[in-house]
Amino acid sequence: MNAVELFPTLRNLTRPEKLKVMQFLVSELSRDEEPSLEQGATYPIWSPLNSYAAAHQLAQLLESDE
């Protein structure tokens, strides 16, 4: 069965059923994509916490504005 043959059946679905079909299709499409993040893996995230160089630069900018 091809997509064109599915269209009449899809039109007759209720709204919740159409949403389930959409969710299924999006899930299937995402499986085809190369994963960018792996489940269970850890990734480093930069944070300004303890970034003393950034704090120093900001303080200098604030002083120069006065």
Short mmCIF file of all heavy atoms in Angstrom, two decimals:
data_model
loop_
_atom_site.label_atom_id
_atom_site.label_comp_id
_atom_site.label_asym_id
_atom_site.label_seq_id
_atom_site.Cartn_x
_atom_site.Cartn_y
_atom_site.Cartn_z
N MET A 1 0.85 -1.18 0.00
CA MET A 1 0.00 0.00 0.00
C MET A 1 0.90 1.24 0.00
O MET A 1 1.85 1.33 0.75
CB MET A 1 -0.90 -0.03 1.24
CG MET A 1 -1.86 1.13 1.31
SD MET A 1 -2.96 1.07 2.74
CE MET A 1 -4.16 -0.08 2.17
N ASN A 2 0.57 2.19 -0.84
CA ASN A 2 1.36 3.42 -0.87
C ASN A 2 0.61 4.55 -0.15
O ASN A 2 -0.54 4.38 0.27
CB ASN A 2 1.71 3.81 -2.31
CG ASN A 2 0.50 4.12 -3.15
OD1 ASN A 2 -0.49 4.65 -2.67
ND2 ASN A 2 0.55 3.77 -4.43
N ALA A 3 1.26 5.68 -0.04
CA ALA A 3 0.70 6.80 0.73
C ALA A 3 -0.61 7.29 0.14
O ALA A 3 -1.55 7.61 0.88
CB ALA A 3 1.71 7.93 0.80
N VAL A 4 -0.71 7.37 -1.16
CA VAL A 4 -1.94 7.87 -1.79
C VAL A 4 -3.12 6.97 -1.45
O VAL A 4 -4.24 7.45 -1.24
CB VAL A 4 -1.75 7.97 -3.32
CG1 VAL A 4 -3.04 8.36 -4.02
CG2 VAL A 4 -0.66 8.98 -3.65
N GLU A 5 -2.88 5.68 -1.33
CA GLU A 5 -3.95 4.75 -0.97
C GLU A 5 -4.36 4.91 0.50
O GLU A 5 -5.48 4.60 0.88
CB GLU A 5 -3.52 3.30 -1.24
CG GLU A 5 -3.32 3.00 -2.72
CD GLU A 5 -2.68 1.64 -2.95
OE1 GLU A 5 -2.08 1.08 -2.02
OE2 GLU A 5 -2.80 1.14 -4.08
N LEU A 6 -3.44 5.40 1.33
CA LEU A 6 -3.73 5.60 2.75
C LEU A 6 -4.55 6.85 3.04
O LEU A 6 -5.24 6.93 4.05
CB LEU A 6 -2.42 5.69 3.55
CG LEU A 6 -1.66 4.41 3.79
CD1 LEU A 6 -0.32 4.70 4.45
CD2 LEU A 6 -2.48 3.47 4.66
N PHE A 7 -4.47 7.85 2.17
CA PHE A 7 -5.11 9.13 2.44
C PHE A 7 -6.60 9.04 2.77
O PHE A 7 -7.05 9.65 3.74
CB PHE A 7 -4.87 10.12 1.30
CG PHE A 7 -3.43 10.56 1.16
CD1 PHE A 7 -2.94 11.01 -0.05
CD2 PHE A 7 -2.55 10.53 2.24
CE1 PHE A 7 -1.63 11.41 -0.18
CE2 PHE A 7 -1.24 10.92 2.12
CZ PHE A 7 -0.77 11.37 0.91
N PRO A 8 -7.41 8.30 2.01
CA PRO A 8 -8.84 8.22 2.37
C PRO A 8 -9.06 7.62 3.76
O PRO A 8 -9.92 8.10 4.52
CB PRO A 8 -9.43 7.31 1.29
CG PRO A 8 -8.49 7.41 0.14
CD PRO A 8 -7.13 7.62 0.75
N THR A 9 -8.27 6.62 4.11
CA THR A 9 -8.40 6.01 5.44
C THR A 9 -8.00 7.00 6.52
O THR A 9 -8.67 7.13 7.55
CB THR A 9 -7.53 4.74 5.53
OG1 THR A 9 -7.92 3.84 4.49
CG2 THR A 9 -7.67 4.07 6.88
N LEU A 10 -6.92 7.73 6.28
CA LEU A 10 -6.45 8.71 7.26
C LEU A 10 -7.47 9.83 7.46
O LEU A 10 -7.64 10.33 8.57
CB LEU A 10 -5.10 9.29 6.84
CG LEU A 10 -3.93 8.30 6.86
CD1 LEU A 10 -2.69 8.92 6.24
CD2 LEU A 10 -3.63 7.84 8.28
N ARG A 11 -8.14 10.24 6.40
CA ARG A 11 -9.15 11.31 6.50
C ARG A 11 -10.30 10.89 7.42
O ARG A 11 -10.91 11.73 8.08
CB ARG A 11 -9.70 11.65 5.12
CG ARG A 11 -8.83 12.59 4.37
CD ARG A 11 -9.53 13.14 3.13
NE ARG A 11 -8.55 13.80 2.31
CZ ARG A 11 -7.96 13.26 1.25
NH1 ARG A 11 -8.27 12.05 0.86
NH2 ARG A 11 -7.07 13.94 0.56
N ASN A 12 -10.60 9.61 7.46
CA ASN A 12 -11.72 9.13 8.28
C ASN A 12 -11.36 8.91 9.75
O ASN A 12 -12.25 8.60 10.55
CB ASN A 12 -12.27 7.82 7.69
CG ASN A 12 -12.96 8.06 6.36
OD1 ASN A 12 -13.55 9.11 6.14
ND2 ASN A 12 -12.89 7.09 5.47
N LEU A 13 -10.11 9.07 10.11
CA LEU A 13 -9.71 8.88 11.51
C LEU A 13 -10.19 10.04 12.36
O LEU A 13 -10.36 11.16 11.89
CB LEU A 13 -8.18 8.78 11.61
CG LEU A 13 -7.52 7.58 10.95
CD1 LEU A 13 -5.99 7.70 11.09
CD2 LEU A 13 -8.00 6.27 11.56
N THR A 14 -10.36 9.77 13.64
CA THR A 14 -10.69 10.84 14.58
C THR A 14 -9.44 11.67 14.84
O THR A 14 -8.32 11.26 14.52
CB THR A 14 -11.19 10.26 15.92
OG1 THR A 14 -10.12 9.52 16.52
CG2 THR A 14 -12.40 9.37 15.72
N ARG A 15 -9.65 12.81 15.42
CA ARG A 15 -8.51 13.68 15.71
C ARG A 15 -7.46 12.98 16.58
O ARG A 15 -6.27 13.03 16.27
CB ARG A 15 -9.00 14.97 16.37
CG ARG A 15 -7.87 15.95 16.68
CD ARG A 15 -8.43 17.24 17.28
NE ARG A 15 -7.38 18.11 17.72
CZ ARG A 15 -6.73 18.97 16.95
NH1 ARG A 15 -7.01 19.06 15.68
NH2 ARG A 15 -5.78 19.74 17.45
N PRO A 16 -7.85 12.33 17.69
CA PRO A 16 -6.84 11.63 18.50
C PRO A 16 -6.10 10.54 17.72
O PRO A 16 -4.89 10.36 17.89
CB PRO A 16 -7.63 11.02 19.65
CG PRO A 16 -8.88 11.83 19.75
CD PRO A 16 -9.17 12.28 18.35
N GLU A 17 -6.81 9.84 16.84
CA GLU A 17 -6.17 8.81 16.04
C GLU A 17 -5.17 9.43 15.05
O GLU A 17 -4.09 8.89 14.83
CB GLU A 17 -7.22 7.99 15.28
CG GLU A 17 -8.06 7.10 16.18
CD GLU A 17 -9.22 6.47 15.45
OE1 GLU A 17 -9.77 7.07 14.50
OE2 GLU A 17 -9.60 5.35 15.85
N LYS A 18 -5.54 10.57 14.48
CA LYS A 18 -4.62 11.26 13.56
C LYS A 18 -3.36 11.71 14.30
O LYS A 18 -2.26 11.63 13.77
CB LYS A 18 -5.32 12.47 12.92
CG LYS A 18 -6.35 12.08 11.89
CD LYS A 18 -7.07 13.31 11.34
CE LYS A 18 -8.15 12.91 10.35
NZ LYS A 18 -8.89 14.08 9.85
N LEU A 19 -3.54 12.18 15.52
CA LEU A 19 -2.38 12.60 16.31
C LEU A 19 -1.47 11.41 16.61
O LEU A 19 -0.24 11.54 16.59
CB LEU A 19 -2.82 13.30 17.59
CG LEU A 19 -3.47 14.67 17.39
CD1 LEU A 19 -4.06 15.17 18.70
CD2 LEU A 19 -2.46 15.66 16.84
N LYS A 20 -2.06 10.25 16.89
CA LYS A 20 -1.26 9.05 17.14
C LYS A 20 -0.48 8.65 15.89
O LYS A 20 0.68 8.25 15.96
CB LYS A 20 -2.14 7.89 17.60
CG LYS A 20 -2.61 8.03 19.02
CD LYS A 20 -3.45 6.83 19.43
CE LYS A 20 -3.99 7.02 20.84
NZ LYS A 20 -4.83 5.91 21.27
N VAL A 21 -1.12 8.77 14.73
CA VAL A 21 -0.44 8.47 13.47
C VAL A 21 0.72 9.44 13.25
O VAL A 21 1.82 9.03 12.87
CB VAL A 21 -1.43 8.52 12.27
CG1 VAL A 21 -0.69 8.45 10.95
CG2 VAL A 21 -2.44 7.39 12.38
N MET A 22 0.48 10.71 13.53
CA MET A 22 1.55 11.71 13.39
C MET A 22 2.71 11.39 14.32
O MET A 22 3.87 11.45 13.93
CB MET A 22 1.01 13.12 13.68
CG MET A 22 0.14 13.66 12.58
SD MET A 22 -0.58 15.27 12.97
CE MET A 22 0.81 16.21 13.53
N GLN A 23 2.39 11.05 15.56
CA GLN A 23 3.42 10.72 16.54
C GLN A 23 4.23 9.51 16.07
O GLN A 23 5.46 9.50 16.16
CB GLN A 23 2.80 10.46 17.90
CG GLN A 23 3.80 10.21 18.99
CD GLN A 23 3.12 9.99 20.33
OE1 GLN A 23 1.92 9.73 20.41
NE2 GLN A 23 3.89 10.10 21.39
N PHE A 24 3.54 8.51 15.54
CA PHE A 24 4.22 7.33 15.03
C PHE A 24 5.15 7.69 13.88
O PHE A 24 6.30 7.26 13.84
CB PHE A 24 3.17 6.30 14.57
CG PHE A 24 3.77 5.17 13.79
CD1 PHE A 24 4.45 4.15 14.43
CD2 PHE A 24 3.68 5.13 12.40
CE1 PHE A 24 5.01 3.11 13.71
CE2 PHE A 24 4.23 4.10 11.67
CZ PHE A 24 4.91 3.08 12.34
N LEU A 25 4.66 8.50 12.94
CA LEU A 25 5.47 8.87 11.79
C LEU A 25 6.70 9.70 12.18
O LEU A 25 7.80 9.48 11.68
CB LEU A 25 4.63 9.63 10.76
CG LEU A 25 3.56 8.79 10.06
CD1 LEU A 25 2.68 9.68 9.19
CD2 LEU A 25 4.19 7.68 9.25
N VAL A 26 6.51 10.62 13.09
CA VAL A 26 7.65 11.43 13.56
C VAL A 26 8.67 10.55 14.25
O VAL A 26 9.88 10.69 14.06
CB VAL A 26 7.16 12.57 14.49
CG1 VAL A 26 8.32 13.24 15.19
CG2 VAL A 26 6.36 13.58 13.68
N SER A 27 8.20 9.61 15.05
CA SER A 27 9.10 8.68 15.73
C SER A 27 9.88 7.84 14.71
O SER A 27 11.08 7.63 14.84
CB SER A 27 8.30 7.78 16.66
OG SER A 27 9.12 6.82 17.25
N GLU A 28 9.18 7.37 13.69
CA GLU A 28 9.84 6.58 12.65
C GLU A 28 10.87 7.41 11.90
O GLU A 28 11.98 6.94 11.60
CB GLU A 28 8.80 6.03 11.67
CG GLU A 28 7.96 4.91 12.24
CD GLU A 28 8.79 3.67 12.58
OE1 GLU A 28 9.52 3.20 11.71
OE2 GLU A 28 8.67 3.19 13.72
N LEU A 29 10.54 8.65 11.59
CA LEU A 29 11.48 9.53 10.89
C LEU A 29 12.71 9.82 11.74
O LEU A 29 13.83 9.88 11.24
CB LEU A 29 10.79 10.83 10.49
CG LEU A 29 9.81 10.73 9.34
CD1 LEU A 29 9.03 12.02 9.18
CD2 LEU A 29 10.52 10.37 8.05
N SER A 30 12.50 10.01 13.05
CA SER A 30 13.64 10.32 13.92
C SER A 30 14.59 9.13 14.04
O SER A 30 15.78 9.31 14.22
CB SER A 30 13.16 10.76 15.30
OG SER A 30 12.57 9.68 15.99
N ARG A 31 14.06 7.93 13.90
CA ARG A 31 14.93 6.74 13.94
C ARG A 31 15.83 6.68 12.71
O ARG A 31 16.91 6.11 12.75
CB ARG A 31 14.10 5.47 14.03
CG ARG A 31 13.48 5.28 15.38
CD ARG A 31 12.75 3.98 15.47
NE ARG A 31 11.96 3.96 16.69
CZ ARG A 31 10.89 3.25 16.87
NH1 ARG A 31 10.48 2.44 15.93
NH2 ARG A 31 10.23 3.30 18.00
N ASP A 32 15.34 7.24 11.61
CA ASP A 32 16.13 7.25 10.39
C ASP A 32 17.28 8.25 10.44
O ASP A 32 18.25 8.14 9.70
CB ASP A 32 15.25 7.58 9.18
CG ASP A 32 14.21 6.51 8.91
OD1 ASP A 32 14.40 5.36 9.39
OD2 ASP A 32 13.22 6.80 8.22
N GLU A 33 17.15 9.25 11.29
CA GLU A 33 18.18 10.28 11.42
C GLU A 33 19.36 9.74 12.22
O GLU A 33 19.20 8.89 13.08
CB GLU A 33 17.63 11.52 12.13
CG GLU A 33 16.50 12.18 11.39
CD GLU A 33 16.93 12.80 10.08
OE1 GLU A 33 18.04 13.36 10.01
OE2 GLU A 33 16.15 12.71 9.11
N GLU A 34 20.52 10.31 11.95
CA GLU A 34 21.70 9.94 12.74
C GLU A 34 21.55 10.56 14.12
O GLU A 34 21.32 11.76 14.24
CB GLU A 34 22.96 10.47 12.07
CG GLU A 34 24.23 9.98 12.72
CD GLU A 34 25.45 10.37 11.92
OE1 GLU A 34 25.38 10.36 10.70
OE2 GLU A 34 26.45 10.70 12.55
N PRO A 35 21.64 9.76 15.16
CA PRO A 35 21.43 10.32 16.50
C PRO A 35 22.53 11.32 16.87
O PRO A 35 23.71 11.08 16.62
CB PRO A 35 21.46 9.10 17.42
CG PRO A 35 22.21 8.06 16.66
CD PRO A 35 21.98 8.35 15.20
N SER A 36 22.12 12.44 17.44
CA SER A 36 23.10 13.43 17.85
C SER A 36 23.46 13.25 19.33
O SER A 36 24.55 13.61 19.74
CB SER A 36 22.56 14.84 17.62
OG SER A 36 21.33 15.01 18.29
N LEU A 37 22.55 12.69 20.10
CA LEU A 37 22.81 12.41 21.51
C LEU A 37 22.49 10.94 21.78
O LEU A 37 21.48 10.43 21.33
CB LEU A 37 21.96 13.29 22.42
CG LEU A 37 22.18 14.80 22.31
CD1 LEU A 37 21.19 15.53 23.18
CD2 LEU A 37 23.60 15.16 22.71
N GLU A 38 23.35 10.31 22.54
CA GLU A 38 23.12 8.91 22.87
C GLU A 38 22.46 8.81 24.25
O GLU A 38 22.85 9.51 25.18
CB GLU A 38 24.43 8.14 22.88
CG GLU A 38 25.08 8.04 21.52
CD GLU A 38 26.37 7.26 21.55
OE1 GLU A 38 26.56 6.45 22.49
OE2 GLU A 38 27.18 7.46 20.65
N GLN A 39 21.50 7.92 24.35
CA GLN A 39 20.80 7.73 25.61
C GLN A 39 21.77 7.18 26.65
O GLN A 39 22.52 6.25 26.39
CB GLN A 39 19.63 6.77 25.42
CG GLN A 39 18.77 6.63 26.65
CD GLN A 39 17.54 5.77 26.37
OE1 GLN A 39 17.31 5.30 25.28
NE2 GLN A 39 16.76 5.56 27.41
N GLY A 40 21.75 7.76 27.84
CA GLY A 40 22.60 7.30 28.93
C GLY A 40 24.00 7.88 28.93
O GLY A 40 24.74 7.71 29.89
N ALA A 41 24.37 8.60 27.86
CA ALA A 41 25.70 9.21 27.79
C ALA A 41 25.70 10.52 28.57
O ALA A 41 24.66 11.13 28.80
CB ALA A 41 26.10 9.45 26.34
N THR A 42 26.87 10.94 28.98
CA THR A 42 27.00 12.24 29.65
C THR A 42 27.75 13.19 28.73
O THR A 42 28.65 12.78 28.00
CB THR A 42 27.75 12.11 30.99
OG1 THR A 42 29.04 11.56 30.75
CG2 THR A 42 26.98 11.23 31.96
N TYR A 43 27.36 14.44 28.77
CA TYR A 43 27.95 15.46 27.91
C TYR A 43 28.32 16.66 28.77
O TYR A 43 27.56 17.08 29.63
CB TYR A 43 26.96 15.88 26.82
CG TYR A 43 26.58 14.74 25.91
CD1 TYR A 43 25.46 13.95 26.17
CD2 TYR A 43 27.35 14.43 24.81
CE1 TYR A 43 25.12 12.90 25.34
CE2 TYR A 43 27.03 13.38 23.97
CZ TYR A 43 25.90 12.62 24.24
OH TYR A 43 25.58 11.58 23.42
N PRO A 44 29.51 17.24 28.53
CA PRO A 44 29.90 18.42 29.30
C PRO A 44 29.08 19.63 28.88
O PRO A 44 28.74 19.79 27.71
CB PRO A 44 31.37 18.61 28.94
CG PRO A 44 31.52 17.97 27.60
CD PRO A 44 30.53 16.84 27.57
N ILE A 45 28.72 20.43 29.86
CA ILE A 45 27.96 21.66 29.61
C ILE A 45 28.72 22.80 30.26
O ILE A 45 29.06 22.75 31.44
CB ILE A 45 26.55 21.57 30.21
CG1 ILE A 45 25.77 20.44 29.54
CG2 ILE A 45 25.82 22.90 30.05
CD1 ILE A 45 24.40 20.22 30.11
N TRP A 46 29.01 23.83 29.47
CA TRP A 46 29.71 24.99 30.01
C TRP A 46 28.77 25.79 30.89
O TRP A 46 27.59 25.94 30.61
CB TRP A 46 30.24 25.88 28.90
CG TRP A 46 31.00 27.04 29.45
CD1 TRP A 46 32.30 27.06 29.81
CD2 TRP A 46 30.49 28.34 29.74
NE1 TRP A 46 32.64 28.29 30.31
CE2 TRP A 46 31.53 29.10 30.28
CE3 TRP A 46 29.24 28.93 29.62
CZ2 TRP A 46 31.39 30.42 30.67
CZ3 TRP A 46 29.09 30.24 30.02
CH2 TRP A 46 30.16 30.97 30.54
N SER A 47 29.32 26.29 31.98
CA SER A 47 28.55 27.10 32.90
C SER A 47 29.41 28.28 33.34
O SER A 47 30.62 28.14 33.51
CB SER A 47 28.15 26.27 34.12
OG SER A 47 27.62 27.10 35.12
N PRO A 48 28.81 29.44 33.55
CA PRO A 48 29.58 30.58 34.03
C PRO A 48 29.96 30.47 35.51
O PRO A 48 30.74 31.27 36.01
CB PRO A 48 28.65 31.77 33.80
CG PRO A 48 27.29 31.19 33.83
CD PRO A 48 27.43 29.80 33.26
N LEU A 49 29.43 29.43 36.19
CA LEU A 49 29.77 29.22 37.59
C LEU A 49 31.27 29.02 37.72
O LEU A 49 31.86 28.23 37.00
CB LEU A 49 29.01 28.01 38.13
CG LEU A 49 29.18 27.72 39.62
CD1 LEU A 49 28.59 28.85 40.45
CD2 LEU A 49 28.52 26.42 39.98
N ASN A 50 31.90 29.71 38.63
CA ASN A 50 33.35 29.66 38.85
C ASN A 50 34.15 30.14 37.64
O ASN A 50 35.30 29.77 37.46
CB ASN A 50 33.81 28.25 39.23
CG ASN A 50 33.18 27.79 40.53
OD1 ASN A 50 32.92 28.59 41.42
ND2 ASN A 50 32.91 26.51 40.64
N SER A 51 33.54 30.96 36.81
CA SER A 51 34.25 31.53 35.67
C SER A 51 34.76 32.91 36.08
O SER A 51 34.16 33.94 35.79
CB SER A 51 33.34 31.63 34.45
OG SER A 51 34.05 32.19 33.37
N TYR A 52 35.87 32.91 36.77
CA TYR A 52 36.40 34.15 37.33
C TYR A 52 36.89 35.11 36.26
O TYR A 52 36.79 36.33 36.41
CB TYR A 52 37.50 33.83 38.34
CG TYR A 52 37.00 32.93 39.44
CD1 TYR A 52 37.38 31.60 39.51
CD2 TYR A 52 36.08 33.40 40.37
CE1 TYR A 52 36.88 30.77 40.51
CE2 TYR A 52 35.58 32.57 41.37
CZ TYR A 52 35.99 31.25 41.43
OH TYR A 52 35.50 30.43 42.40
N ALA A 53 37.40 34.59 35.14
CA ALA A 53 37.85 35.46 34.06
C ALA A 53 36.67 36.24 33.47
O ALA A 53 36.78 37.43 33.19
CB ALA A 53 38.55 34.64 32.97
N ALA A 54 35.55 35.57 33.31
CA ALA A 54 34.36 36.24 32.78
C ALA A 54 33.86 37.29 33.76
O ALA A 54 33.48 38.39 33.37
CB ALA A 54 33.26 35.22 32.49
N ALA A 55 33.89 36.98 35.05
CA ALA A 55 33.46 37.94 36.06
C ALA A 55 34.38 39.15 36.07
O ALA A 55 33.92 40.29 36.21
CB ALA A 55 33.45 37.28 37.43
N HIS A 56 35.67 38.92 35.90
CA HIS A 56 36.64 40.03 35.86
C HIS A 56 36.37 40.93 34.66
O HIS A 56 36.38 42.16 34.79
CB HIS A 56 38.06 39.47 35.83
CG HIS A 56 39.10 40.53 35.79
ND1 HIS A 56 39.40 41.33 36.87
CD2 HIS A 56 39.93 40.92 34.78
CE1 HIS A 56 40.35 42.18 36.53
NE2 HIS A 56 40.69 41.94 35.27
N GLN A 57 36.14 40.34 33.49
CA GLN A 57 35.85 41.14 32.30
C GLN A 57 34.57 41.94 32.47
O GLN A 57 34.51 43.11 32.10
CB GLN A 57 35.71 40.24 31.07
CG GLN A 57 37.03 39.74 30.54
CD GLN A 57 36.84 38.90 29.29
OE1 GLN A 57 35.77 38.36 29.05
NE2 GLN A 57 37.90 38.79 28.50
N LEU A 58 33.55 41.34 33.05
CA LEU A 58 32.30 42.05 33.28
C LEU A 58 32.51 43.20 34.26
O LEU A 58 31.99 44.30 34.05
CB LEU A 58 31.24 41.08 33.81
CG LEU A 58 29.86 41.67 34.06
CD1 LEU A 58 29.30 42.29 32.79
CD2 LEU A 58 28.92 40.61 34.60
N ALA A 59 33.28 42.98 35.29
CA ALA A 59 33.56 44.04 36.26
C ALA A 59 34.29 45.20 35.59
O ALA A 59 34.00 46.37 35.86
CB ALA A 59 34.37 43.50 37.42
N GLN A 60 35.22 44.87 34.69
CA GLN A 60 35.94 45.93 33.99
C GLN A 60 35.01 46.73 33.09
O GLN A 60 35.11 47.95 33.00
CB GLN A 60 37.09 45.34 33.16
CG GLN A 60 38.26 44.88 34.00
CD GLN A 60 39.39 44.31 33.15
OE1 GLN A 60 39.14 43.77 32.08
NE2 GLN A 60 40.61 44.44 33.64
N LEU A 61 34.09 46.06 32.42
CA LEU A 61 33.13 46.77 31.58
C LEU A 61 32.24 47.68 32.40
O LEU A 61 31.95 48.81 32.01
CB LEU A 61 32.27 45.76 30.82
CG LEU A 61 32.91 45.03 29.65
CD1 LEU A 61 32.00 43.95 29.13
CD2 LEU A 61 33.26 46.01 28.54
N LEU A 62 31.82 47.19 33.55
CA LEU A 62 30.96 48.00 34.41
C LEU A 62 31.71 49.21 34.96
O LEU A 62 31.15 50.29 35.07
CB LEU A 62 30.39 47.15 35.54
CG LEU A 62 29.40 46.07 35.12
CD1 LEU A 62 29.02 45.21 36.31
CD2 LEU A 62 28.17 46.70 34.48
N GLU A 63 32.98 49.05 35.28
CA GLU A 63 33.79 50.17 35.78
C GLU A 63 34.01 51.21 34.70
O GLU A 63 34.01 52.41 34.97
CB GLU A 63 35.13 49.66 36.30
CG GLU A 63 35.04 48.92 37.61
CD GLU A 63 36.37 48.34 38.07
OE1 GLU A 63 37.40 48.55 37.35
OE2 GLU A 63 36.39 47.67 39.10
N SER A 64 34.21 50.77 33.46
CA SER A 64 34.47 51.72 32.37
C SER A 64 33.23 52.51 31.99
O SER A 64 33.31 53.60 31.43
CB SER A 64 35.00 50.99 31.13
OG SER A 64 34.02 50.15 30.58
N ASP A 65 32.04 51.99 32.32
CA ASP A 65 30.79 52.70 32.02
C ASP A 65 30.52 53.83 33.02
O ASP A 65 29.73 54.72 32.76
CB ASP A 65 29.60 51.75 32.03
CG ASP A 65 29.58 50.88 30.79
OD1 ASP A 65 30.25 51.22 29.79
OD2 ASP A 65 28.88 49.84 30.81
N GLU A 66 31.16 53.78 34.15
CA GLU A 66 30.90 54.78 35.20
C GLU A 66 31.63 56.06 34.96
O GLU A 66 32.46 56.35 34.31
CB GLU A 66 31.29 54.22 36.57
CG GLU A 66 30.38 53.12 36.98
CD GLU A 66 30.79 52.48 38.31
OE1 GLU A 66 31.83 52.88 38.90
OE2 GLU A 66 30.07 51.62 38.78
#
